[in-house]
Each structure stands twice: as structure tokens, then as C-alpha cells.
Amino acid sequence: MKRKWLSGPYVLWMVLFTLIPLGVVFYYALTDSMTGEFTLSNLASIADYWPIFLRSIWLSIIATLICLVIGYPVAYFIAHCKPTTQRLLQMLIMLPMCISFLLRTLAWVALLEDTGIINSFIAKLGLSPLPLIRNNGAVILGMVYNYLPYMILPLFTVLMKIDPRVVEAAEDLGCNSRQVFSKVILPLSVPGIVSGITMVFVPAVSTFYISQKLGSPGTILIGDVIESQFKAAYNPNLGAALSLVLMVLIFACVGVMNRFTNDDEESMVTL
């Protein structure tokens, strides 16, 4: 009985900040903005925004894969450092997260814009400025920079838990360094890979500020459309419908990724 009471604050928190907001989203998504009556017209209007949905998913996938390619070697290196070095490197990775998301993105605008630091340096060399901003590449760069720590930290946590005796056993059985990595370390780190992919993909696919500052009208993402429906167009019903579909797509993607790992976060090792 006491345990049920201890879970009370958590249940209250979930009801107030999860279930009720979701209920509000469902209500607005399934009602008419003028009459308040039940309608599916908001969901039907989403067909016009499928290209933007696909662009958001595609750019988020690319940014997530880049974070994985960069983050895995970094996490692997940190996991094999001395404890004091690990703490220092972890602090350096988390340090940018202590700065405002807005300021971090604006810093890249100052670097990449046509008259920014990088192009000013290029101009001094007598070269033509490069189109570094207002394109898909700049948006992906902003995603990678802002969400890379969310890939490194889960990978580091999982790699740290790998028992060194398993690696020693693989080496005793005749595996070289490449086989040890591909048949032991990589399979055991799958839960960290899945966690990192989830933690990067979910905020990337719903982001809107990065695309506003580093992108152009041709790189608008679904987060920008949702924000505009609540602010500029003031159509919260369509905005809620878009948010509902985006939430379903995110849950579907996360569900597919979670099939690559089991509940107890253990993977099979084949020697």
C-alpha cells in the first residue's frame, strides 16, 4: 500500500504534463476551428504537407547517421581512457549543453553567413565566398552540432559496461582486433546505438529553430510549419493535427529501432 502512495507524485506528474496535454492535442486535431464540432478535415489537410514530412525525416536520418559515425569512435576512445581523462572529456562534451540552444545556433550563423567569419577569411585569401548557409547542409550541420552529445553519452555508458573479460576470451579464442570489435564490442553496444539514435532522431525531426536560422524557405521542416500554425496563421487545430501525425511517425520510428535490442539491453555475441 505504501508503495502505491510513493508512486503518487509520478502518476500526478504524468497526468498533468503528459496525458492532459495529449488530450488537448487530440481535441484540437479532431475539431473544427470555427464550430468546435468533430471533424477529420484537419487530418485530411495533412496530405499537402507530406513533402515537408519526408524532408524532415530525411534530413534527420542523415544527421543521426553522421552523429553515429562521429559519436561512436569518440565514445569508444573515452571509454578506454583513464578515469580522470574520462571525467575531463565528459565535461568537455557536456559543456556546450550548458549554453543556450539559441546561442549555440546563432554562433553557427555568425560563422557561416555570407559575411561571416569563415567567408571573411576566404575573401582575404582572394577567393569567392562559399554558400555555407541557407541550405540543407547547414541545417544538418546545426542538427549534428546540437545533438551530438546525445549520441556520445549513451554509447559511452554502454561501452563502459562491457566486461573486459569477454574481450580477453575472444582474443584467447583467436580473434584479431577487427574480429573482436565486429563480433563482441559492436553487438554488445547495440543498446547504446539504439538509445543514441533515438535521442538524436526524435528532437532532430521535430526541430524548427535550426532550420529557421541556418536554412531557407526551401529547407522548411515540419516543426516550422507547426510553429507557424500556432503563431502566424493561428490555426491551432491544423497545428495540433500536424503534431499528432508527427508524434505517431516518431513512435513508429522508435518502435522499429527498438526491435534491434531487447528489454534487458543485452545482445548475442557470436564468436
Coordinates of all heavy atoms in Angstrom, one line a residue, residues 28 108 266:
Y28 N -8.0 19.3 -30.3 CA -7.9 20.4 -31.3 C -7.7 19.7 -32.7 O -8.2 20.2 -33.7 CB -6.7 21.3 -31.0 CG -7.0 22.4 -30.1 CD1 -6.7 22.3 -28.7 CD2 -7.7 23.5 -30.5 CE1 -7.0 23.3 -27.8 CE2 -8.0 24.6 -29.6 CZ -7.7 24.4 -28.3 OH -8.0 25.5 -27.4
W108 N 26.7 29.6 -35.0 CA 26.9 29.0 -36.4 C 26.5 30.0 -37.5 O 27.1 30.0 -38.6 CB 26.2 27.7 -36.5 CG 27.0 26.5 -35.9 CD1 26.8 25.8 -34.8 CD2 28.2 26.0 -36.5 NE1 27.7 24.9 -34.6 CE2 28.6 25.0 -35.6 CE3 29.0 26.3 -37.6 CZ2 29.8 24.2 -35.9 CZ3 30.1 25.5 -37.9 CH2 30.5 24.5 -37.0
E266 N 20.6 -6.6 -23.7 CA 21.7 -7.5 -23.9 C 21.7 -8.0 -25.3 O 20.6 -8.2 -25.9 CB 21.6 -8.7 -22.9 CG 21.9 -8.3 -21.5 CD 21.8 -9.5 -20.6 OE1 21.5 -10.6 -21.0 OE2 22.0 -9.3 -19.3

